[in-house]
Amino acid sequence: MTHLAKRLQIGGGWPTSRFMHEPILDICGLEKTYKGGVQALKGVDLTIRRGEIFALLGPNGAGKTTLIGAVCGLVNPTGGTIAAFGEDIRRHWKRARQKIGLVPQELSFDMFDKVIRQVRYSRGMFGLPPDEARIEEVLRSLSLWDKRDAQIRELSGGMKRRVMIAKALSHDPELLFLDEPTAGVDVELRRDMWRQIDALRARGVTIILTTHYIEEAEEMADRVGVINKGQILLVDDKDAIMAKLGRTEAHFMLASPVADVPAVLSSYPLHLEEEGRRLVYRGGDGTGKGKREVAELAQIMAREGIVFTGLDTRDSTLEDIFVDLVEGKLENAA
Amino acid sequence: MTLNLRGAFAIFRNELMRMFRTAFGSILSPVITTSLYLVVFGAAIGGRMELPGGVGYGAFIVPGLLMLTLLTESTSNASFGIYMPKFTGAIYELLSAPVGVAETLIGFVGAAAVKSLILAAVILGTAALIIDYQIAHPLLAFFYILLVSATFSLLGFIIGLWATGFEKLQIIPLLVLMPLTFLGGTFYSIDLLPEPWRTVALFNPVVYLVNGLRWTFLGQSDFPIALSLGATMAFLLACVAVIGWIFNSGWRLRE
Ligand SMILES: Nc1ncnc2c1ncn2[C@@H]1O[C@H](COP(=O)(O)OP(=O)(O)OP(=O)(O)O)[C@@H](O)[C@H]1O
Ligand SMILES: [Mg+2]
């Protein structure tokens, strides 16, 4: 990991610690109503800390791309303010954009151009002098160096996505937006992408990514925001979300059905399913309490002679929490 | 707000490279078309005609044909240049980069104008092989060609922004510019037109462009050069104003 980080050399050298507490991005009451009347953002407030990896989770049409577009200059907001690096991005748009990188959701570039030329082009467009060594570094870190002279259309989809990333990294952004960076990418490439993101984090790059793979947010993010229908439902540290909303579920398949939950087990959150053949535990939090209680239950049941023929346990993932949130089941919890 | 010169140059160079990827077709085809006109109208038919003032017909139509090519090529090159990234989605990068109107114009319009200049040089060189002509005011001719290339590249840029489909890119060059240029005195002096057509022709703006270029070649034309220059520059400023408005409002660029 460390040598990867070294190879990536992103935005190297600024004194990260000095700015640690100043938000790198501060979005206030952001609204966007498209011409057709679709209200894609309904007063979004969001603060991103320097150096963090922030995952924006939301179903299709939640407004993730619109939110990113508003910060990056692709979408004209209809209300609210955005400050990046402590400055209003409408007033100081050139300075802000200089330090922001964007990898959009769709693959979009001149397919007939060569890989290395497109990356050089991006660097130049952001006003930086040519730096072949840096371009090589970026291409190598994304395993694109061997393909540098290939026409982009000849590359596989995953490779094309890497070219998009290489373009976005070519000007050493301090704030990087990845709009579904791993959509349509196979498992191996996805893990590889996570390593890239880790290496960027090591360089102090702040990353905001959107994803449908909750696994990805769980794996990568420091903080998670859930957005639905243009509103942020929840923003918190990933671990805190898990602790607050995480659940363990265990199914004990009983050898002989029972009519009621046995009295010795009454202090646990249990209920019966399938006409008393299945004893279901649903409880705990994201800290492992659930697992402990299930282990206790198993011991008590063995001691009391309550025979079970099978046991299934499952910890709720961020995905379950996310689904519950979006379906409105957890509105109070948030 | 400082100008991002490096950014402007990066766009400019990228555009030129993109154009030269297809240089063979995009330079060769207008050169061949123009050469054919020159051979048929200039050398074959025009060889037997002489215009008032002792100008050969071939030499008379060289600036007219050059103008025809400049107008259509500048317009379609620039419109294609900005339409392509809109079409592929690559425009996202332009919109998210620290480049504004000035950088974008230098890049896209500059590249289209330079390509037109190269095209003009090739056409004039080819024409010299077919027809005997002189350029009375070379410096002024160069300046005028540059001005027209830039102006119509700007127009093309606007068309490219406006276009929502490939067919729209061709509408203005084919349905407006081409006919106006043909009727605008490419092949004849409007003084030869009978009334009321002569008066109608005065409302065709391309008449002034063709005659402006003709003046720099022949030292004479239907109008004073100042009128042609003034009209062209006014059009250029109008295009710049429209583009400025487009960027400010984000029309067809930003959602
Ligand atoms: N250009 C547009 N014009 C009109 N409506 C739009 C436009 N772009 C997006 N929308 C609408 O705005 C809403 C939010 O879209 P957005 O693309 O931001 O969602 P998203 O969260 O990125 O979705 P996905 O996960 O599918 O990428 C949707 O209802 C969408 O239909
Ligand atoms: Mg999206």
Side-chain angles (χ1 to χ4, degrees):
Chain A
M1 202 72 50
T2 43
H3 79 280
L4 240 177
K6 238 182 257 156
R7 265 161 55 179
L8 271 161
Q9 295 275 326
I10 305 303
W14 74 85
T16 325
S17 54
R18 224 182 74 209
F19 300 109
M20 236 20 217
H21 302 293
E22 171 202 295
I24 196 166
L25 184 66
D26 199 1
I27 297 172
C28 246
L30 191 65
E31 289 178 13
K32 173 64 188 179
T33 306
Y34 283 106
K35 266 187 225 96
V38 179
Q39 205 182 347
L41 297 176
K42 303 170 185 165
V44 167
D45 297 313
L46 187 60
T47 303
I48 304 294
R49 304 169 190 153
R50 195 174 272 271
E52 76 173 335
I53 298 191
F54 187 91
L56 198 56
L57 286 175
N60 287 126
K64 303 182 294 294
T65 301
T66 305
L67 181 62
I68 290 181
V71 178
C72 294
L74 311 185
V75 169
N76 267 341
T78 43
T81 59
I82 304 170
F85 315 100
E87 293 181 321
D88 182 69
I89 62 160
R90 269 184 197 254
R91 297 247 319 274
H92 303 283
W93 60 276
K94 260 189 181 166
R95 216 156 42 198
R97 287 185 196 175
Q98 175 76 59
K99 295 186 270 189
I100 297 178
L102 167 65
V103 182
Q105 191 168 356
E106 320 275 341
L107 292 173
S108 32
F109 26 46
D110 182 349
M111 292 283 174
F112 293 93
D113 208 355
K114 288 182 179 169
V115 171
I116 194 164
R117 272 220 302 250
Q118 275 290 306
V119 179
R120 281 190 199 126
Y121 175 41
S122 299
R123 185 177 168 87
M125 203 191 291
F126 278 78
L128 294 185
D131 182 347
E132 285 305 299
R134 179 73 191 120
I135 301 276
E136 177 174 345
E137 215 165 41
V138 169
L139 288 177
R140 280 193 190 281
S141 75
L142 291 159
S143 313
L144 283 169
W145 183 243
D146 294 337
K147 303 273 184 198
R148 62 189 178 278
D149 288 321
Q151 272 192 356
I152 292 172
R153 68 191 174 101
E154 297 165 355
L155 302 180
S156 72
M159 284 295 198
K160 285 188 184 119
R161 193 157 287 281
R162 287 163 180 233
V163 177
M164 301 281 289
I165 296 175
K167 282 165 72 68
L169 293 183
S170 67
H171 67 280
D172 303 333
E174 290 175 36
L175 176 58
L176 181 64
F177 287 92
L178 300 168
D179 201 354
E180 304 199 22
T182 53
V185 161
D186 70 16
V187 180
E188 200 183 328
L189 256 168
R190 200 185 310 164
R191 300 217 170 265
D192 198 59
M193 197 76 75
W194 294 350
R195 277 195 292 275
Q196 310 283 351
I197 291 173
D198 236 12
L200 288 170
R201 182 219 303 266
R203 297 296 315 168
V205 180
T206 309
I207 297 173
I208 299 173
L209 58 87
T210 74
T211 176
H212 289 157
Y213 300 108
I214 322 269
E215 197 192 351
E216 201 156 84
E218 246 177 316
E219 180 83 13
M220 297 299 317
D222 302 312
R223 286 199 307 151
V224 174
V226 178
I227 183 172
N228 190 37
K229 295 185 183 146
Q231 283 173 317
I232 300 265
L233 301 181
L234 167 77
V235 177
D236 210 339
D237 288 349
K238 181 189 65 191
D239 296 338
I241 295 180
M242 296 302 292
K244 195 155 57 183
L245 304 172
R247 288 282 180 278
T248 299
E249 189 167 309
H251 294 187
F252 295 88
M253 307 309 288
L254 301 180
S256 45
V258 295
D260 294 300
V261 175
V264 282
L265 305 177
S266 60
S267 59
Y268 295 96
L270 290 167
H271 67 270
L272 288 164
E273 283 179 5
E274 288 185 21
E275 287 145 7
R277 274 192 295 269
R278 186 161 70 191
L279 188 64
V280 178
Y281 167 91
R282 210 172 270 147
D285 54 23
T287 64
K289 180 180 166 210
K291 275 209 174 71
R292 267 197 320 275
E293 288 194 335
V294 171
E296 285 166 25
L297 274 171
Q299 281 171 4
I300 297 170
M301 286 165 77
R303 203 171 59 216
E304 300 291 321
I306 307 167
V307 182
F308 56 93
T309 57
L311 169 60
D312 268 337
T313 66
R314 199 169 81 82
D315 287 327
S316 69
T317 56
L318 203 48
E319 173 143 22
D320 304 319
I321 297 168
F322 168 70
V323 169
D324 287 349
L325 263 177
V326 167
E327 286 175 358
K329 287 187 198 157
L330 286 178
E331 227 145 306
N332 298 332
Chain B
M1 201 147 301
T2 49
L3 190 65
N4 174 2
L5 262 181
R6 280 211 172 87
F9 182 68
I11 298 169
F12 175 80
R13 204 178 49 179
N14 188 61
E15 268 302 287
L16 269 190
M17 280 204 283
R18 189 190 57 76
M19 286 171 178
F20 281 104
R21 248 185 0 230
T22 54
F24 192 69
S26 61
I27 298 254
L28 203 62
S29 82
V31 168
I32 287 181
T33 313
T34 313
S35 302
L36 287 177
Y37 277 125
L38 283 174
V39 169
V40 174
F41 292 107
I45 300 175
R48 294 152 188 268
M49 305 202 298
E50 185 137 324
L51 291 152
V55 179
Y57 186 64
F60 178 83
I61 64 171
V62 167
L65 283 172
L66 181 58
M67 183 58 74
L68 176 69
T69 313
L70 283 180
L71 296 192
T72 50
E73 289 294 314
S74 301
T75 311
S76 64
N77 278 328
S79 65
F80 203 74
I82 187 68
Y83 180 73
M84 271 314 277
K86 274 201 336 180
F87 177 71
T88 62
I91 189 107
Y92 84 86
E93 196 170 28
L94 210 58
L95 294 178
S96 66
V99 298
V101 201
E103 292 90 349
T104 312
L105 287 188
I106 293 171
F108 281 96
V109 175
V114 165
K115 189 179 177 193
S116 293
L117 283 183
I118 294 170
L119 191 59
V122 176
I123 284 177
L124 288 178
T126 317
L129 302 176
I130 302 168
I131 285 188
D132 186 23
Y133 71 93
Q134 262 111 44
I135 303 179
H137 307 282
L139 258 180
L140 201 58
F142 175 78
F143 174 73
Y144 203 73
I145 289 171
L146 183 67
L147 183 67
V148 166
S149 300
T151 305
F152 282 81
S153 296
L154 282 169
L155 177 69
F157 189 83
I158 296 172
I159 293 170
L161 286 178
W162 161 77
T164 46
F166 275 102
E167 72 290 347
K168 285 193 180 160
L169 290 182
Q170 288 305 323
I171 285 180
I172 306 259
L174 279 181
L175 292 182
V176 180
L177 286 178
M178 187 94 108
L180 282 183
T181 316
F182 265 102
L183 298 174
T186 304
F187 293 107
Y188 53 84
S189 158
I190 62 159
D191 286 338
L192 299 178
L193 287 176
E195 288 295 351
W197 297 114
R198 188 180 177 282
T199 310
V200 171
L202 292 180
F203 288 96
N204 175 359
V206 181
V207 163
Y208 303 94
L209 296 176
V210 171
N211 277 286
L213 191 60
R214 186 163 284 145
W215 189 91
T216 68
F217 272 58
L218 307 179
Q220 63 184 64
S221 74
D222 296 346
F223 306 104
I225 179 68
L227 181 61
S228 293
L229 272 176
T232 315
M233 289 213 222
F235 192 48
L236 180 132
L237 291 180
C239 288
V240 170
V242 169
I243 289 172
W245 171 80
I246 287 175
F247 268 74
N248 266 327
S249 69
W251 178 77
R252 292 275 161 97
L253 277 173
R254 261 180 204 105
E255 289 300 343

